[in-house]
Amino acid sequence: MSDAVYPVPADFAAKAHINAEKYQEMYAASVNDPEAFWGEHGKRIDWIEPFTKVKDTNFKLGEVSIKWFEDGVLNVAANCIDRHLPTRGNQTAIIWEPDDPNDPALHITYNELSEKVNRFANVLLSQGVMRGDRVVIYLPMIPEAAYAMLACARIGAIHSIVFAGFSPDALANRINDSEAKLLITADTAPRGGRRTALKSNADQALLHCSDKVRCLVVKHTGDQTTWVDGRDVDVKALMETASPDCPPRPMNAEDPLFILYTSGSTGKPKGVVHSSGGYLVYAAMTHQYTFDYHEGDVYWCTADVGWVTGHSYIVYGPLANGGTTVMFEGVPTYPDAGRFWAVCEKHNVNQFYTAPTAIRALMGQGNEFVEKYDLSDLKLLGTVGEPINPEAWNWYNDVVGKGSRPIVDTWWQTETGGHMLTPLPGATALKPGSATKPFFGVQPVLLEPQTGEEIHDTAAEGVLAIKDSWPGQMRSVWGDHERFEKTYFADYHGYYFSGDGCRRDADGDYWITGRVDDVINVSGHRMGTAEVESALVAHAKVAEAAVVGYPHDIKGQGIYCYVTLMNGEEPSEELRKELRTWVRTEIGPIAAPDLIQWAPGLPKTRSGKIMRRILRKIAEDDFGALGDTSTLADPSVVDDLIENRMNR
Ligand code: WTA
């Protein structure tokens, strides 16, 4: 923690959309009369039929229902494209920066985007995709990913993007859970100079799916792939002959725009469902105000469209605002640790938004990689995905921002659709490590973890919950509304429970302390420990496994696994490697265990429940604070685990 405070620079405040006074005034209005506030701000997007009802939301367990602008009719793609054409048809909508810096970047204007998306939408129609059908997108960071998303939105199909780093198994699970009609993938995906065989992963996944699922393939690199006639379709070839005119389908505000699978504390990843109207209003408004985005700015979010950040802040938010958004195919360290800054210089980036894990990785490489480049166009920096430690914040501020660019530390979740706690750069004094204040319409509360009582003292610590709905809130879990209610509304009645712990300081600023459930955050990627455990126990030699997070210098958290082998199996370095590879193939490289400890036994209560609290403490090297172990069935297993803990 740090107690430094950085006041808003006066020149920034003078030009900003929102200054301190305006924030106070608008925030008060947004919570005192949400109907009036959102009724007004809901008009920031174009409606085919204007809404007459603004808000109809209920957090009561058993009756949870969230509707915004429910009788409004709109089309999301028309909002991101068509309405800009009269005024900014020739303005760049997307700057695409390829993995290899020697390949040319693309500048895609709104006119070009319109043509591509219309053609793509007609290809989808020609493949029999209809309103409400699910389309799974498994693409790298190429313009076709944005075309595919917007083409779905144009015809009212629901997209579900699966991060290209996920395994064939993970992909198949998501195709099956959403009962998708179509998969969109690419031949191969260059990243950091290497290529991932996406199509071959897709082929493997489709072996486990209905044979009715068709596969659109973007020939991106031109690498050789297998081809299944009758199932696989060359999307670029079809786009060439498709009509560049596909009327946007009028959609209801509450029609789902997309599903995005995310990890929770239990069970399989769940399909988070987002709406069309409320989601778009919220993504667009947060994008404009949090980043203080102005007409003509070049804005870059380094996330991947496989995560919610890519949805709201690479595609939907910036394009709804008629902005110029950078899409980057590569990685921060290729060809060297200066790539981010080279791209900022090359494209005159004004707002730059990344994850703390990337900052930590780059700060270790030396300042010369930053100092080589002219970053004078930068006006603002942002972070997302995990708490940022003060060292990383200070480096970002001093070396990248030259001490004069506000840093917005944005706390939000896949479930929230957009920023929830964040500074507004013209309004909010910054504190390294604090996501500071709520966005308009967001009513954060701290609850006493055991009793669920709301804590009213300003300076306090508790679990973070939200008192009332906001337009970007997820609407349900795909196919399982009960799970939606159970996950977010059952532990603390009447609130949306975030799963995060949080501290509020005497100024009313919020500091996220990390997850209070069995979700860990590895390099800003959210992972359910239960998923890694079930992958491990699926291995023939594993009897039991328990997975927890531990502090990791670069990744924020690393994956620590306690593994009990089947009777007769011998632990070995080789087996460790085998298990690591196993989890990579079961889930994907982002889930690969960092440390595997052989555990002859796991600490369990007499009723057989694994005591994760103890395992977490051992993994954190904090075994002075194990707490009460007397309820364990066999307290001696703890000594063995401590003695044989893994070195970090
Ligand atoms: C964590 C990513 C601290 C948090 C947009 C949350 C953060 C989870 C921050 C959601 C932040 C995200 N400070 N923690 N600024 N932003 N988190 O769904 O634990 O991938 O619950 O959404 O990331 O991760 P998700």
Side-chain angles (χ1 to χ4, degrees), residues 426-475:
T428 320
L430 306 175
K431 297 176 182 173
S434 171
T436 70
K437 295 282 198 295
F439 192 75
F440 303 124
V442 174
Q443 298 184 53
V445 292
L446 297 184
L447 304 178
E448 166 61 43
Q450 306 305 331
T451 63
E453 293 285 323
E454 203 172 311
I455 309 174
H456 294 283
D457 299 342
T458 306
E461 189 162 345
V463 298
L464 177 62
I466 313 291
K467 205 170 181 162
D468 196 359
S469 185
W470 62 99
Q473 184 171 21
M474 72 182 280
R475 300 305 198 249

Side-chain angles (χ1 to χ4, degrees), residues 312-434:
S312 301
Y313 300 114
I314 295 177
V315 178
Y316 291 116
L319 295 179
N321 290 334
T324 299
T325 180
V326 178
M327 221 178 150
F328 176 44
E329 188 182 32
V331 298
T333 47
Y334 176 78
D336 64 34
R339 187 68 190 279
F340 273 177
W341 324 118
V343 175
C344 283
E345 177 186 279
K346 178 174 170 191
H347 298 301
N348 307 99
V349 170
N350 300 117
Q351 291 93 4
F352 177 77
Y353 188 35
T354 195
T357 187
I359 299 168
R360 285 192 298 266
L362 296 178
M363 67 188 265
Q365 308 285 317
N367 298 354
E368 59 276 15
F369 284 107
V370 190
E371 287 158 357
K372 279 208 284 227
Y373 298 100
D374 175 3
L375 300 180
S376 57
D377 287 313
L378 280 179
K379 297 195 278 195
L380 170 136
L381 304 171
T383 72
V384 58
E386 49 178 321
I388 181 163
N389 48 314
E391 299 72 35
W393 197 97
N394 288 332
W395 184 82
Y396 201 29
N397 183 53
D398 299 342
V399 180
V400 180
K402 320 291 178 213
S404 63
R405 276 77 166 179
I407 297 179
V408 290
D409 175 352
T410 60
W411 175 82
W412 61 295
Q413 309 177 297
T414 305
E415 294 88 340
T416 71
H419 303 148
M420 299 293 279
L421 297 173
T422 178
L424 297 186
T428 320
L430 306 175
K431 297 176 182 173
S434 171

